[in-house]
């Protein structure tokens, strides 16, 4: 089973709202990722958690706040977003860094009004 | 600096024929490559990978070829099916955790 689940599938929020994206995997993977993908572009790495600790933050604005409550869950808290933050947000996980194949969830389509 | 390049943004192929998707890279330190398939509004799905110690890896209808001297890899799909219509990304791990993705090729298989 190589399933990564994400909720919600779609999210519309105003610029003053606070919302959260959720990601879950039960493959025993110890690395989890948040990506952002705009139309016709490749996925763009935002954050990496390894063993529940933040390993990489790709200079993401503080209006995006990741959280890893346990080894299976990954959240992305959103606050005061801008319309240009509208995108597909993808979660991924891998057994290990480097060569470990990353398995992606279906994504959350976020629209910021 | 685009270290992984997919120079063909789109490709149309007749059902039953071979689809060949190409990917070029510039960093000779890359030693592992992956192909992902992506349907609209879905996450990328891992398809096949290849290590630089090999020049070919096959999985059913999908074969990836690696030419290290040319810094080129290609994904062959035989026979192509309408369900293969998607965007295909090649990717290479860089350091720990980071992937360098190509810009993608949109494949359309015509019935």
């Amino acid at each position: 089973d190589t399933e990564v689940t994400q909720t919600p599938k779609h999210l519309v929020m105003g610029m003053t709202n606070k919302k959260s994206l959720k990601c879950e995997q039960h493959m025993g993977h110890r690395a989890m990722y948040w990506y952002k993908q705009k139309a016709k572009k490749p996925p763009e790495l935002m954050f990496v958690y390894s063993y529940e600790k933040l390993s990489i933050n790709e200079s993401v604005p503080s209006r995006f706040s990741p959280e890893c409550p346990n080894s299976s869950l990954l959240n992305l808290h959103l606050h005061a977003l801008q319309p240009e933050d509208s995108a597909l947000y993808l979660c991924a996980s891998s057994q290990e860094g480097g060569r470990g194949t990353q398995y992606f969830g279906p994504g959350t389509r976020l629209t910021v009004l | 600096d685009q270290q992984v390049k997919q120079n063909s943004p789109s490709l149309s192929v007749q059902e039953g024929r071979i689809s060949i998707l190409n990917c070029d890279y510039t960093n000779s330190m890359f030693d592992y490559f992956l192909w992902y398939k992506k349907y609209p509004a879905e996450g990328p799905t891992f398809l096949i990978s290849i290590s630089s110690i090999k020049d070919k890896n096959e999985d059913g209808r999908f074969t990836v070829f690696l030419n290290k001297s040319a810094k080129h890899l290609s994904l062959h799909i035989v026979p192509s099916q309408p369900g293969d219509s998607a965007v295909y990304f090649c990717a290479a791990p860089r350091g720990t955790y980071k992937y360098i993705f190509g810009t993608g090729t949109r494949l359309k298989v015509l019935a």
Side-chain angles (χ1 to χ4, degrees):
Chain A
D1 182 13
T2 55
E3 189 178 26
V4 177
T5 59
Q6 289 187 245
T7 55
K9 192 168 176 62
H10 301 277
L11 179 63
V12 179
M13 60 186 292
M15 289 190 282
T16 58
N17 292 157
K18 285 186 181 181
K19 297 286 185 184
S20 297
L21 310 184
K22 296 185 184 302
C23 173
E24 191 167 5
Q25 57 88 12
H26 293 289
M27 295 178 278
H29 289 174
R30 302 317 299 264
M32 295 186 76
Y33 310 73
W34 280 116
Y35 284 86
K36 173 182 176 179
Q37 186 172 26
K38 292 278 211 178
K40 300 186 179 180
K41 297 283 188 182
E44 182 183 323
L45 184 65
M46 299 174 71
F47 302 103
V48 180
Y49 273 83
S50 175
Y51 291 90
E52 299 155 55
K53 294 197 184 320
L54 184 64
S55 292
I56 295 176
N57 175 344
E58 290 285 89
S59 303
V60 179
S62 60
R63 57 186 184 268
F64 296 91
S65 175
E67 178 196 20
C68 189
N70 60 54
S71 60
S72 300
L73 293 174
L74 187 66
N75 298 322
L76 186 62
H77 303 297
L78 315 172
H79 175 53
L81 294 193
Q82 305 296 312
E84 59 265 28
D85 297 321
S86 298
L88 182 67
Y89 287 84
L90 296 163
C91 174
S93 70
S94 69
Q95 182 71 24
E96 58 192 271
R99 295 172 190 279
T101 300
Q102 294 183 22
Y103 295 93
F104 286 82
T108 293
R109 171 67 61 189
L110 174 68
T111 303
V112 182
L113 300 176
Chain B
D1 176 28
Q2 190 66 33
Q3 297 185 57
V4 177
K5 301 178 187 178
Q6 293 176 257
N7 292 317
S8 298
S10 62
L11 174 69
S12 290
V13 170
Q14 206 66 34
E15 181 179 8
R17 306 294 291 267
I18 184 171
S19 295
I20 301 177
L21 297 102
N22 294 305
C23 182
D24 296 296
Y25 61 97
T26 57
N27 190 336
S28 57
M29 298 297 289
F30 290 152
D31 60 359
Y32 189 71
F33 301 90
L34 307 96
W35 283 94
Y36 285 86
K37 176 170 82 171
K38 186 179 183 305
Y39 294 117
E42 292 186 13
T45 302
F46 169 69
L47 208 52
I48 193 168
S49 62
I50 189 166
S51 165
S52 61
I53 61 173
K54 295 185 173 183
D55 53 18
K56 175 183 173 182
N57 189 25
E58 193 172 351
D59 184 0
R61 296 187 297 115
F62 302 92
T63 303
V64 56
F65 295 91
L66 176 62
N67 182 333
K68 290 184 288 292
S69 60
K71 295 192 181 71
H72 176 83
L73 62 155
S74 60
L75 174 68
H76 293 211
I77 306 173
V78 183
S80 302
Q81 299 172 354
D84 296 328
S85 298
V87 178
Y88 290 78
F89 290 97
C90 63
R94 185 190 71 187
T96 306
Y97 303 118
K98 293 190 182 184
Y99 278 6
I100 305 295
F101 283 93
T103 49
T105 296
R106 181 176 302 278
L107 173 66
K108 189 170 186 179
V109 180
L110 307 169

